[in-house]
Amino acid sequence: MKYNPNEIEAKWQKYWAENQTFAASNNSVKPKHYVLDMFPYPSGAGLHVGHPLGYIASDVYSRYKRHQGFNVLHPMGYDSFGLPAEQYAIQTGQRPEDTTRVNIDGGFDKEGNQIAGYRKQLDKIGFSFDWSREVRTSNPDYYKHTQWIFIQLFNSWYNKNSDKAEDISTLVAIFEKEGNATVNAVCDDKIVPFSGSEWNAFSKEEQEKILLQYRLTYLAETEVNWCPGLGTVLANDEIVNGVSERGGFTVVRKKMTQWSMRISAYAERLLQGLNDIDWSESIKESQRNWIGKSIGAMVTFKVIAGDKSQEEKGIEVFTTRPDTIFGVTFMTLAPEHPLVQEITTTEYLDKVNDYIVASSKRSERERMADVKTISGVFTGAYAEHPFTKEPVPVWIGDYVLAGYGTGAVMAVPCGDERDYAFANFFKGQSGMLPIKNIFANVDISEVAYGSKDNVIIANSDFLDGLTYKEGTKKAIEALEKLNQGYGKINYRLRDAVFSRQRYWGEPFPVYYVNGLPQMIDAQHLPIVLPEVEKYLPTEDGLPPLGNALVWAWDTTTNKVVNTDLVDHKTIFPLELNTMPGWAGSSFYWMRYMDAHNEKEFASKEALAYWESVDLYIGGSEHATGHLLYSRFWNKFLKDKGFAPTEEPFKKLINQGMILGTSAFVYRVEGTNTFVSKNKIEGQNVQPIHADVSMVNSSDELDVEKFKAWREDYKDAEFICDENGKYIVGREVEKMSKSKYNVVTPDDICNEYGADTLRLYEMFLGPLEQAKPWNTAGISGVFGFLKKLCRLYFDEHNMIVTDEAPTKDNLKTLHKTIKKVADDIENFSFNTSVSQFMICVNELSTQGCHSRAILEPLAIVISPYAPHIGEELWSLLGNTGSIATVPFPVFEPKHLVESEKEYPVSFNGKMRFTIVLPLDLTKEQIEEIVMKDERTIKQLEGRTPNKVIIVPGKIINLVG
């Protein structure tokens, strides 16, 4: 019998599919375990060998938990809405729903290229996914629930007293009875107070406008990252070095009316929840930094413009150091701050406007990261210091962000490095005063003193002689007496912009009456994405849905109707924006629990059974995007009684990246001549990526294939080594199509089998670390599997016997059982593969073919190599799948040594060894050794002066 992976794997993949082997039940008596992968975005490029790394790890763990008797939910689906599909549709003239479907299911694109399809690729690797629960976020039967959750958010407010989201009707009841004076809510900053009688006298439109200031999802004018080239708003993590990650287009800051999510309401709960989950400290720290809790004070500086007092205008700043308020030398506003245009004097207006335009071209992330570039402009305006009443010059600078805090800072150069650098850069210019030092016995001639420790305040009137804590408390008390400040906890976390000016996303269940948003009743969901002729914005700049001919809401029939029927009486315009990519991925783990429920995203029974994800595996790039939004939505749904737990993911593991080994050819600059790596010294050459499929394991380039690869290389000349071979250069880089270093799992599976791929990826190194891919190493793993099979069958027949196992056989097996179980529990998958190799080598040396050893070994290896595990299990005469067979129990007694191989020495020189039971006394050992023929021969009739015996260690005869 020959190990034929293609035949074996096809057989068992078919068996699993037909028998629904991995379908999880929502009503099992078994304990539950929920293992989840971050679901993929289905691009046309398909999977490369780096993508399955986390999936293989989660699959090993899932299979192991099934062997342990758990009811395992291990689902898979597709995050199938998004900008890439839309951009591809624009470029190729295809419908994004068509390209997305082909990318998932396989087929042919518009050019006739065959697309493998994510589903076929995943199936080929032998994952134990419960495909009966598959979800696609772009399917209407999925996004109807995304729309429903949006409606719940719109109809909720955050009550600080109860510290949770509540129905908006409870807020309306308070307004009707007593107005908003006593309401303790997370809401807009500028709230006008009103009484109950005033509320009741407001028109319906006035009431709706006020409620928008409290709702958890709301419309507001917001500073956004606008990308004209893509015609949409981008999130910060979609921008790299000031340009869009997709396409490299310019991004500018712009004010737009957008839907936003009041995630800031959950800032403290998001922060505290990190203490209750088993995540890596680096991911937790990323989230803590993003949430950015700061304790300090809000201070108002009254504005003075020229000679005209504008006391009704105030600049609010949040500071973590109110104790340093007497060190304020100047103020800096973000270029986008609403007061800039109002307070800037005529003399400085042109400079200020030019600076605003220039800064709008830099993303927030770029502005935060760039600490070296110092820029700013004086506005000509001054603010009044709350205590000294002295004028404080007001500047604008792009190191201050409109969306963080108040968009303004009180600059204390003696205590802050960035303020210090700014003051020194503009030293001597109009509007820049000398730096004030308010720290006793601290030299600030060369650097600011930013520490809060060992600080004694000086030159600060009533704060003189106080420490940081004492000074902070007293400064806040004094500000409150002046009615110009108060103590406050601030968060860096800002409300999340929830609108995108694109087509391929979830439609909002929203129509507009007199410009105010109205929610479509949940019973009429989903509101399905309409057909459009083109996916670009309209000629007058509206989002792509502005091109839809059927996109209006009829409140009489409760249906979407032709746009030209809008009469603003019974038929109204629908929202033209769509939801962002993170909408559908913010609750998908709960949809898996009850994927076919048409009425709700999951039943209470299903949610109560599965509760939350026990193990979540995915990339660390989602640290502050997906993971933060997911936690926010989960907490909101918990508040409203829909989610059973506060946190969605108990344990999180980030897999590292598998890197590609790129190949480089070297072209002599200005020519079409390529020089072998060994010949490039002293030549002016340009390294160019070559497709790794043209290079063998010895780094030799197939020159003819390379010349046929591209038209411009057809007539290329090659300077090779003396042996006629062209050697490429190698470099480890990110695996990417653009670097031509992609290895597809399909190729590996076809040549070596999926079990080899799975074992090799786990063998490469610790799961969390990045590691380079080297196809040359995979043959060793393939050889190991063939050696494993030779324990079970030879060229013709099964050779497994019922003979009793030896002690060595049992020791090898139980050493492996213990090691593999410990490794899986600790996610140290690479060392398990090493142990498998040791085990098979030892059993081969021992000549072991005992069923008592080889049957449990098939179970132990099956989480890693499930196809061969199933095949061996079947060949051993078992029926059904190996998938739920109990994992072998480790028996420590088989690892307890009962014998010892002693070195026997004469005058310190080892002459031979002897195997003796470990429970012998010194006297018994001595008696056996002295009677041994080898001892008698060594002594030649002499009697040793001393016999030294240390039981379990040494035997030494002296003299």
Side-chain angles (χ1 to χ4, degrees):
M1 298 170 69
K2 187 178 179 183
Y3 172 47
N4 186 334
N6 291 332
E7 185 180 304
I8 291 171
E9 290 169 5
K11 167 186 171 182
W12 288 105
Q13 287 164 16
K14 182 183 179 188
Y15 176 91
W16 295 332
E18 289 176 350
N19 291 276
Q20 294 280 290
T21 304
F22 308 115
S25 168
N26 283 3
N27 299 293
S28 176
V29 294
K30 296 179 180 179
K32 72 93 183 181
H33 206 83
Y34 188 174
V35 182
L36 182 65
D37 299 285
M38 290 185 186
F39 62 172
Y41 173 79
S43 70
L47 295 174
H48 60 61
V49 291
H51 292 128
L53 178 67
Y55 302 160
I56 296 170
S58 69
D59 198 58
V60 169
Y61 192 79
S62 296
R63 288 176 178 275
Y64 172 71
K65 297 307 278 188
R66 288 193 194 93
H67 286 306
Q68 286 193 311
F70 285 87
N71 178 32
V72 176
L73 174 56
H74 186 38
M76 179 52 72
Y78 307 96
D79 193 7
S80 49
F81 267 135
L83 191 56
E86 183 168 319
Q87 283 303 109
Y88 187 68
I90 292 169
Q91 293 163 9
T92 63
Q94 298 180 79
R95 300 162 76 237
E97 50 264 56
D98 292 340
T99 59
T100 300
R101 185 180 61 255
V102 169
N103 291 345
I104 294 173
D105 297 327
F108 294 88
D109 64 13
K110 190 180 180 183
E111 283 74 38
N113 300 311
Q114 186 166 6
I115 305 297
Y118 270 59
R119 175 61 193 270
K120 291 184 177 72
Q121 287 188 294
L122 291 169
D123 279 345
K124 204 161 191 175
I125 303 172
F127 294 120
S128 62
F129 294 135
D130 181 355
W131 282 113
S132 70
R133 298 172 185 255
E134 179 198 297
V135 301
R136 302 182 185 189
T137 60
S138 58
N139 281 2
D141 64 356
Y142 181 89
Y143 67 69
K144 71 177 286 187
H145 303 292
T146 317
Q147 293 171 341
W148 179 85
I149 293 172
F150 176 85
I151 294 170
Q152 307 315 303
L153 284 154
F154 182 82
N155 288 328
S156 301
W157 66 293
Y158 200 90
N159 187 341
K160 286 185 179 179
N161 291 337
S162 62
D163 199 22
K164 69 175 191 176
E166 296 182 5
D167 194 274
I168 201 74
S169 62
T170 63
L171 183 63
V172 172
I174 297 171
F175 288 170
E176 290 173 345
K177 186 177 179 181
E178 56 192 59
N180 66 348
T182 62
V183 170
N184 189 15
V186 177
C187 54
D188 290 359
D189 291 333
K190 305 297 181 183
I191 297 291
V192 177
F194 54 82
S195 65
S197 58
E198 287 174 321
W199 169 264
N200 293 321
F202 289 149
S203 68
K204 188 183 178 191
E205 286 186 12
E206 289 172 321
Q207 290 178 345
E208 286 182 5
K209 286 177 182 177
I210 291 169
L211 288 174
L212 273 175
Q213 297 180 301
Y214 291 86
R215 295 182 186 276
L216 282 181
T217 186
Y218 59 95
L219 277 175
E221 191 173 64
T222 312
E223 281 280 340
V224 295
N225 302 311
W226 173 249
C227 180
L230 294 175
T232 191
V233 169
L234 298 179
N236 284 333
D237 55 9
E238 294 174 312
I239 303 165
V240 178
N241 298 324
V243 297
S244 64
E245 184 179 35
R246 172 69 46 178
F249 297 106
T250 300
V251 178
V252 297
R253 299 291 293 169
K254 179 180 177 181
K255 281 190 175 180
M256 296 180 70
T257 298
Q258 299 288 299
W259 283 103
S260 289
M261 289 278 175
R262 221 178 285 276
I263 188 175
S264 58
Y266 287 82
E268 187 63 25
R269 284 169 63 184
L270 288 167
L271 197 61
Q272 294 305 320
L274 294 171
N275 299 324
D276 304 322
I277 50 181
D278 183 7
W279 293 14
S280 70
E281 196 53 39
S282 61
I283 293 291
K284 287 185 178 183
E285 196 57 28
S286 293
Q287 293 219 344
R288 289 189 190 105
N289 291 337
W290 196 262
I291 296 165
K293 182 178 181 179
S294 302
I295 300 172
M298 192 68 78
V299 185
T300 301
F301 288 76
K302 295 175 182 178
V303 174
I304 307 166
D307 297 326
K308 181 184 175 184
S309 176
Q310 295 185 347
E311 291 190 2
E312 70 279 6
K313 296 190 184 301
I315 299 174
E316 283 193 323
V317 302
F318 174 79
T319 177
T320 58
R321 296 295 303 273
D323 60 312
T324 66
I325 194 164
F326 283 92
V328 174
T329 304
F330 60 96
M331 301 189 74
T332 312
L333 307 184
E336 306 88 355
H337 195 289
L339 275 180
V340 171
Q341 294 294 337
E342 294 186 43
I343 67 173
T344 299
T345 61
T346 306
E347 180 184 356
Y348 293 93
L349 192 58
D350 288 343
K351 286 184 180 179
V352 165
N353 286 336
D354 289 344
Y355 186 80
I356 290 171
V357 171
S359 64
S360 72
K361 295 175 182 176
R362 302 182 75 203
S363 70
E364 283 194 359
R365 182 166 288 186
E366 186 181 0
R367 284 160 61 175
M368 284 190 287
D370 185 4
V371 295
K372 294 180 180 178
T373 304
I374 299 171
S375 66
V377 178
F378 179 44
T379 65
Y382 290 84
E384 182 184 87
H385 193 283
F387 298 123
T388 68
K389 306 305 178 185
E390 293 175 350
V392 179
V394 181
W395 289 67
I396 62 170
D398 69 2
Y399 74 96
V400 182
L401 304 175
Y404 176 54
T406 64
V409 298
M410 61 176 220
V412 182
C414 68
D416 181 272
E417 288 184 19
R418 203 150 189 179
D419 294 343
Y420 188 87
F422 194 93
N424 278 305
F425 187 82
F426 292 105
K427 184 177 180 180
Q429 294 190 26
S430 176
M432 185 53 68
L433 303 174
I435 295 173
K436 300 176 181 180
N437 187 5
I438 49 119
F439 300 131
N441 304 319
V442 172
D443 179 15
I444 62 158
S445 59
E446 293 185 7
V447 66
Y449 186 75
S451 175
K452 297 176 181 178
D453 302 324
N454 305 316
V455 167
I456 300 298
I457 305 297
N459 304 317
S460 297
D461 196 7
F462 61 90
L463 300 180
D464 284 356
L466 300 181
T467 62
Y468 155 67
K469 285 188 177 178
E470 295 166 338
T472 294
K473 183 181 178 183
K474 199 163 185 178
I476 292 172
E477 288 173 353
L479 286 165
E480 287 175 345
K481 284 181 183 177
L482 289 175
N483 201 29
Q484 281 191 250
Y486 54 91
K488 187 180 180 184
I489 295 174
N490 207 37
Y491 299 91
R492 181 181 291 114
L493 181 66
R494 288 161 288 165
D495 288 346
V497 175
F498 199 67
S499 296
R500 295 293 185 269
Q501 291 67 45
R502 67 181 190 216
Y503 171 77
W504 192 234
E506 296 92 337
F508 284 91
V510 176
Y511 65 96
Y512 287 89
V513 177
N514 296 328
L516 289 171
Q518 311 295 319
M519 295 298 113
I520 292 170
D521 195 280
Q523 65 180 312
H524 307 305
L525 301 180
I527 304 304
V528 179
L529 203 59
E531 291 284 343
V532 294
E533 199 170 309
K534 53 183 179 178
Y535 305 108
L536 292 167
T538 65
E539 291 180 3
D540 51 358
L542 294 175
L545 286 181
N547 294 309
L549 300 178
V550 183
W551 197 238
W553 184 250
D554 188 328
T555 56
T556 306
T557 62
N558 292 309
K559 290 182 178 177
V560 177
V561 297
N562 285 5
T563 308
D564 57 13
L565 296 177
V566 170
D567 58 11
H568 297 286
K569 294 176 182 177
T570 60
I571 300 176
F572 300 93
L574 282 160
E575 172 67 68
L576 298 181
N577 290 314
T578 53
M579 299 186 199
W582 57 268
S585 62
S586 291
F587 75 102
Y588 77 109
W589 63 95
M590 285 188 275
R591 183 59 179 163
Y592 281 138
M593 297 177 186
D594 198 8
H596 303 294
N597 191 324
E598 295 180 6
K599 295 181 179 179
E600 48 196 346
F601 66 82
S603 69
K604 284 187 177 181
E605 294 76 18
L607 287 160
Y609 178 75
W610 293 110
E611 289 188 334
S612 60
V613 176
D614 295 287
L615 173 65
Y616 197 24
I617 295 183
S620 60
E621 66 271 18
H622 300 290
T624 54
H626 160 64
L627 289 173
L628 205 58
Y629 297 140
S630 296
R631 295 180 63 220
F632 159 44
W633 275 36
N634 199 96
K635 289 176 188 296
F636 166 73
L637 291 169
K638 172 74 163 60
D639 287 352
K640 300 304 292 283
F642 301 113
T645 60
E646 182 83 4
E647 290 288 341
F649 318 121
K650 290 179 185 176
K651 184 175 183 65
L652 171 71
I653 293 179
N654 298 126
Q655 84 272 13
M657 189 181 291
I658 289 184
L659 305 170
T661 304
S662 299
F664 290 89
V665 292
Y666 302 93
R667 182 168 62 189
V668 178
E669 291 240 0
T671 73
N672 204 19
T673 300
F674 293 85
V675 183
S676 179
K677 181 189 174 186
N678 302 325
K679 298 271 190 178
I680 61 175
E681 190 173 345
Q683 301 213 50
N684 188 16
V685 296
Q686 174 190 12
I688 296 171
H689 282 97
D691 196 311
V692 293
S693 66
M694 304 171 187
V695 181
N696 68 16
S697 58
S698 301
D699 297 338
E700 299 164 10
L701 177 71
D702 186 323
V703 171
E704 294 307 313
K705 273 189 180 178
F706 183 80
K707 290 169 76 173
W709 182 33
R710 281 172 33 182
E711 183 67 24
D712 50 330
Y713 297 155
K714 185 174 63 175
D715 300 320
E717 294 182 8
F718 291 81
I719 299 175
C720 300
D721 294 352
E722 283 72 15
N723 58 8
K725 294 174 179 176
Y726 185 100
I727 304 300
V728 300
R730 289 289 200 175
E731 187 176 323
V732 174
E733 302 180 287
K734 180 179 178 180
M735 196 170 280
S736 165
K737 254 184 143 180
S738 64
K739 301 181 190 302
Y740 304 106
N741 62 359
V742 167
V743 178
T744 70
D746 308 56
D747 293 340
I748 302 298
C749 290
N750 289 337
E751 188 170 354
Y752 299 101
D755 285 341
T756 298
L757 172 70
R758 292 168 63 104
L759 283 164
Y760 184 59
E761 292 219 3
M762 292 297 93
F763 187 50
L764 281 173
L767 180 61
E768 292 94 335
Q769 291 182 10
K771 44 256 177 188
W773 176 270
N774 183 357
T775 303
I778 206 165
S779 58
V781 176
F782 185 55
F784 155 73
L785 282 174
K786 289 193 285 188
K787 190 171 185 178
L788 169 71
C789 291
R790 287 198 291 272
L791 291 172
Y792 294 81
F793 50 79
D794 59 19
E795 292 182 9
H796 305 289
N797 301 297
M798 285 289 292
I799 54 175
V800 177
T801 68
D802 290 326
E803 64 181 328
T806 67
K807 288 182 179 180
D808 283 344
N809 294 163
L810 289 165
K811 179 182 177 182
T812 295
L813 173 66
H814 283 270
K815 186 169 58 175
T816 302
I817 293 170
K818 184 178 191 311
K819 176 65 174 164
V820 172
D822 288 348
D823 282 348
I824 294 176
E825 293 288 4
N826 294 311
F827 306 99
S828 301
F829 303 107
N830 57 312
T831 51
S832 276
V833 182
S834 299
Q835 181 59 38
F836 289 140
M837 294 175 175
I838 293 168
C839 174
V840 169
N841 284 338
E842 288 183 0
L843 293 177
S844 298
T845 302
Q846 294 161 14
C848 175
H849 300 291
S850 169
R851 175 183 290 273
I853 300 298
L854 299 183
E855 195 164 79
L857 178 61
I859 302 168
V860 173
I861 203 168
S862 67
Y864 290 81
H867 306 90
I868 191 64
E870 292 275 21
E871 184 70 5
L872 295 174
W873 183 252
S874 175
L875 290 172
L876 287 166
N878 298 294
T879 57
S881 172
I882 199 174
T884 55
V885 175
F887 201 78
V889 177
F890 164 62
E891 296 180 33
K893 67 181 181 181
H894 295 302
L895 267 58
V896 175
E897 298 285 355
S898 60
E899 296 179 328
K900 167 70 180 178
E901 185 178 31
Y902 285 91
V904 181
S905 300
F906 294 81
N907 296 317
K909 292 184 179 180
M910 200 271 284
R911 297 300 184 185
F912 63 87
T913 63
I914 186 170
V915 177
L916 299 172
L918 277 169
D919 58 357
L920 295 179
T921 64
K922 286 184 181 181
E923 292 74 17
Q924 289 171 322
I925 293 171
E926 183 175 344
E927 183 182 351
I928 293 169
V929 170
M930 294 303 293
K931 290 179 179 178
D932 191 286
E933 290 182 2
R934 292 168 293 181
T935 302
I936 296 169
K937 185 178 180 181
Q938 282 289 331
L939 290 174
E940 296 178 338
R942 300 189 314 274
T943 301
N945 296 332
K946 188 187 289 187
V947 177
I948 301 171
I949 295 173
V950 179
K953 291 187 178 178
I954 62 169
I955 301 171
N956 188 17
L957 284 71
V958 180

